[in-house]
Amino acid sequence: MDTTLLSRLSDFEWRIEAHGKMRVPAILYASEELIRDMDNKVYEQIVNVATLPGIQKAAYAMPDAHWGYGFPIGGVAAFDPQEGGVVSAGGVGFDISCGVRTLLTGIKAAALTPLKQSLADALYHHIPAGVGSTGRLNLDDQQLDEMLLNGAQWALKLGYGREADLDRTEERGCMAGARSEAVSEFAKKRQRREMGTLGSGNHYLEVQHVVGIHDEAAARAFGLATDDIVVSIHCGSRGLGHQIGTDFLREMVLQAPHYGIDLPDRELACAPIESPLGETYLGAMRAAINCALANRQIITHLVRQAFADVIPEADLSVLYDVSHNTCKVEEHTVDGHLKRVFIHRKGATRAFGPGHPAIPEALRTIGQPVLIGGTMGTASYILVGMPESESRSFSSSCHGAGRQMSRHQATKHWRGRQLIDELAGRGIIIRSPSSRGVAEEAPGAYKDVTAVVEVAEKAGLSRRVARLEPLICIKG
Amino acid sequence: MGSTRGEQQAQEAVKARWEHYAHGADIGVRGIGRSTAEAFEQAAVALAGVITDPSRVEAREEVMIKCEAPDPEVLLVDWLNALVYEMAVRRMILARFQVNIEGNQLHGRAWGEDTDVARHEPAVEVKGATYTDLFVGQNSSGAWVAQCVVDV
C-alpha cells in the first residue's frame, strides 16, 4: 500500500481521513513493513466500507488485513440502526462464524512423542476432512431446525460433549435470534450430511505444543504451560453458511437500489438493519453461527474419541471457542456514549478486555482468549483482550497470518508431497486427502504470523499469552 | 445489431478456453468463447479446475440446471453457484458443460461423476462465486469473456 495516502498516528496506527463519500475515517493497525506489503485493494475496500450508511467512529483494518470481497478480510465496522445502519452479507463473508476452538489435553509433549503417528492416524480416521466428505449424521428437517436454533447446546443433547464445554464457548454455544425459516431449503440441504466435518481450504485441525509463554498470569488462568499439548480446530458453518452467504449476497445486490443504497462495489451488498431483508439475513446468519458452533462441538467429541483410542489418560477440555466472521450486537462507546451497534468482524476476532460480562467467569478478570491460527508449518498464538482494545477497534484483533500469495502462485512454488516430507523432517505430521490442497496452503504463502501478533500487541488490540507450534495437522 | 465481417472473423478465430487468475486469498475463474454461452461453459470448466484437473473427471452422470437473472453478470454468478450447490449436495464433480442462454434465462447441462478422492485428489471445495471482478462481455479481439472470483 502506498503510505503517502495515509497519515501515520503512531508506529502501528495509520489513518485515512474521511474524503469523498466516506462518512468516517478509516484506521489501519500495522507496522510500516506490514502496511507496505498490504494490497492497495485493502485501501480501496476499507474506504468503501467507510461510505456505508450508519457506520460508527471508523472503519478498521487489522494487521493481517488482505483483499477480500467488499470488506477487506481483517475488516471491522460497527453500524447503528438508529442512524440507518446496515448489515452486509459481504461484511460477514461466505464462511459465517468460521472460528477457532482450542482444547487443553492435560498431557505433555514427551508423552505424545511415541504415539504421534498413531494419534495422527486416529484423528484422520475420526474426523471427516476434505472435499465431498460427510459426517456420520444425516439430519432430517426437524433436527436441522433444532440445530439451527440451539447450536452447540443441540450437539450436547445428542451426547457430543459436556456441559463445561459450553462455559468456554462464545454465546454459551447458542446464538440468540436465529431463525431457521430464514434459511433457504438449498442451504439446509447442503448441510444435512456435513455436521462434524472440517471442510477444506484453510481449515484444519492441529495438535500443537506450547513452546513459549509471554504472559505467565494469563497463561496460568488459561491453563497453559510450556510443553503442554493442545488441539486447535479451525472451521466454520460449512455448506450451510456458504449457501446463506450466496443467497443473501444476491438478494442484497438486487435490492440495494430499492433501499436507496448506492454501492461503490456490488460485493459490499447490504440492507438496512431495520428492514425485512436485513432482519431476515440476521436471523439466517445467526442460524449459521449456531451451525458453526454445533460443528466445532461435534468435532470436539470426535477429537476426544481419537485421543481415547490412543492416549486414554488425556482429558480434553475446551479452553475457548471464538469466531472471526460474524455480525453481532454489542454495546460500545462512541463519542462518549454507550451505544448498541451491529459490529461486523470479517476475518477479525472479538477481543474483550478484562471484566467484560461476556467472558467466562473463570477468565473474566484476565480477559477474553483470542485464538490466532498460523499455518501448518508455523506458530499459532493465544492472545488475550486488553482494556485498550475497546477504544482501539471496538474490542477486535487479528485472526491469523493472512495470505500473501494466491493459491495459484502457491501451486507453482510448492508441491504437496515435497512439503509434507519437509514438514515431516521438522517433526510435523500432515494428513490430507489432497496434495494440491497442501501446496495451496503452503506456510510460505502466508504472512509471518509472529509479525502480525506482535503488531496486534503493540497496537493495543490484544496481548500475547502463549506461542504454539504444530505437531500434527489434519488438513481438509 | 449484426456484427461486421471483421468481428465475425475475429470471433471465428477465438478458441474456447478457460483459465485461472490470481486474487489475493482466492482464485479467479475465466471462460473465453465465441458466444456468452460458450464463455459460460468455459467458466464452469475453470470452476471445476479449482477443485481438480477437469480431464480427470468422467462424464458419467448428467445434471440439468436452470437459472434466471436480471443481467448477464448476475446470471454468471447464479450459474456458477448452481454448480457449486449441485456438486456439494450430490458429492459430485461436474466438469463438462453445455449452456443455452435466451434473454434472462439459462438452461445448462452438466456432466460429471461422484467425487473420488483417490483419483480426483480434490484440492479445495468452492464456497461460492462472488461479485468480485465480475465481468461478462467482449474483449478487444471480439471474444466473449465470463469471469469472477470464487471463494474457496
Side-chain angles (χ1 to χ4, degrees), chain A residues 394-415:
Chain A
F394 294 122
S395 296
S396 310
S397 188
C398 56
H399 85 305
R403 279 191 94 91
Q404 62 175 356
M405 189 186 282
S406 72
R407 292 175 176 280
H408 194 66
Q409 286 171 290
T411 52
K412 296 206 159 119
H413 272 76
W414 294 283
R415 289 275 164 268

Side-chain angles (χ1 to χ4, degrees), chain A residues 8-43:
Chain A
R8 188 170 194 168
L9 302 185
S10 74
D11 284 352
F12 304 101
E13 188 174 350
W14 309 73
R15 181 181 167 104
I16 304 168
E17 299 302 336
H19 65 273
K21 290 182 175 174
M22 287 171 78
R23 294 167 196 258
V24 292
I27 303 281
L28 299 92
Y29 293 105
S31 60
E32 184 152 1
E33 201 185 344
L34 286 175
I35 206 103
R36 284 191 189 284
D37 284 348
M38 235 177 239
D39 202 306
N40 273 328
K41 288 281 182 184
V42 174
Y43 177 92

Side-chain angles (χ1 to χ4, degrees), chain A residues 385-462:
Chain A
M386 300 160 75
E388 304 90 296
S389 27
E390 172 58 25
S391 63
R392 295 273 196 274
S393 56
F394 294 122
S395 296
S396 310
S397 188
C398 56
H399 85 305
R403 279 191 94 91
Q404 62 175 356
M405 189 186 282
S406 72
R407 292 175 176 280
H408 194 66
Q409 286 171 290
T411 52
K412 296 206 159 119
H413 272 76
W414 294 283
R415 289 275 164 268
R417 191 66 251 168
Q418 182 196 344
L419 264 177
I420 290 168
D421 291 344
E422 271 174 36
L423 291 168
R426 291 170 44 200
I428 304 167
I429 302 175
I430 309 293
R431 289 280 188 275
S432 172
S434 168
S435 84
R436 180 174 139 195
V438 170
E440 291 185 1
E441 288 294 321
Y446 283 84
K447 289 178 197 167
D448 176 8
V449 67
T450 300
V452 167
V453 296
E454 270 175 20
V455 170
E457 178 170 313
K458 287 174 178 161
L461 308 179
S462 51

